[in-house]
Amino acid sequence: MPRVKVARKSTAIDMTAMCDVAFLLLTFFILTAKPKVEDPSKAEVPPSSKEVTIPDDNVLTISIGKGGKIFLGFSGNDVRQEALKTMGERSGVSFTPAEINKFANTEIFGVPMNQMKQFLNTPSDQMKNFEQKGIPADTTTNNELSNWIITARQADKALHGKDFSIAIKGDRLEEYPSVNTVISVLGHQKLFKFDLITTLKAAPKRH
């Protein structure tokens, strides 16, 4: 009796669906990825042997850079937009929609209000070369830092019903008065709870 030959079937697999999924995932990661923002304060933070994680969202960070320059960053593009509008009204400075939109995407800044328009009109590829002189924090004459903190917190509460967690990032080589100025500004707003940003160092060995 003759042997029956079984027809061979093709082992080819249709990869179309898998390719579609791969491209969708790639597109998702590209659109949601956030580039690392260069910190203009250049603060070299001091070491610490204890580790406490600062939340990624709803944080207001005050950075003290070289020469005691003060920089500010806070979460929320919409919060930044509203804060800039309010600060502009306080200072008598009007901003265009393009300037407001650019500030909404600026995660950290350190310029006084009288230089804000110049700062926001600097081309993106030249921003790192713009000399940021720091936010004024004089507790007697011109305390823009205090105004920014109040304005940002009010915008955050109005838009999201939240209050910022506060963090201070100070250069390890800075003198105490610079840090004390920031703490005094927070104290006047009854903000006595804040985190200090440090780098992690190994705990000392016990003998």
Side-chain angles (χ1 to χ4, degrees):
M1 189 173 177
R3 296 175 63 185
V4 178
K5 290 185 178 180
V6 179
R8 291 185 177 181
K9 294 183 178 180
S10 173
T11 57
I13 300 174
D14 187 358
M15 299 291 290
T16 305
M18 292 184 69
C19 289
D20 288 343
V21 172
F23 278 114
L24 283 171
L25 288 171
L26 180 62
T27 303
F28 171 78
F29 287 125
I30 290 174
L31 292 175
T32 57
K34 234 179 165 183
K36 184 179 179 182
V37 178
E38 185 177 351
D39 186 351
S41 70
K42 309 293 184 186
E44 298 179 21
V45 295
S48 172
S49 58
K50 291 187 178 181
E51 183 177 13
V52 177
T53 304
I54 304 279
D56 294 327
D57 190 35
N58 209 54
V59 181
L60 184 147
T61 304
I62 305 164
S63 300
I64 306 167
K66 307 291 185 184
K69 293 180 181 179
I70 297 175
F71 296 77
L72 185 67
F74 47 92
S75 309
N77 289 28
D78 54 348
V79 176
R80 289 193 282 265
Q81 285 183 336
E82 291 305 313
L84 180 65
K85 291 176 186 176
T86 304
M87 285 295 292
E89 291 170 2
R90 281 189 174 192
S91 306
V93 181
S94 58
F95 295 97
T96 65
E99 291 167 345
I100 293 171
N101 184 62
K102 187 169 184 178
F103 184 78
N105 292 286
T106 302
E107 295 190 7
I108 182 171
F109 63 97
V111 294
M113 283 302 295
N114 60 14
Q115 290 187 342
M116 184 61 76
K117 286 185 75 72
Q118 183 185 355
F119 172 69
L120 294 175
N121 284 294
T122 301
S124 298
D125 59 344
Q126 298 177 24
M127 287 288 276
K128 64 180 182 180
N129 297 323
F130 188 95
E131 183 184 358
Q132 299 192 47
K133 298 181 178 179
I135 301 171
D138 191 321
T139 54
T140 55
T141 57
N142 186 20
N143 201 333
E144 288 186 11
L145 176 63
S146 179
N147 294 337
W148 270 113
I149 294 171
I150 292 171
T151 303
R153 292 177 64 212
Q154 288 174 341
D156 192 35
K157 285 180 181 177
L159 292 168
H160 304 294
K162 299 179 180 179
D163 197 1
F164 283 121
S165 297
I166 309 294
I168 299 175
K169 180 181 180 182
D171 191 287
R172 62 185 179 85
L173 300 177
E174 275 306 309
E175 299 292 334
Y176 176 74
S178 299
V179 180
N180 189 50
T181 297
V182 172
I183 294 175
S184 295
V185 168
L186 296 175
H188 281 102
Q189 298 185 32
K190 309 299 182 186
L191 296 171
F192 302 111
K193 183 180 179 181
F194 49 83
D195 295 302
L196 294 174
I197 298 176
T198 60
T199 56
L200 188 64
K201 73 173 181 179
K205 294 180 180 180
R206 294 181 178 179
H207 299 287

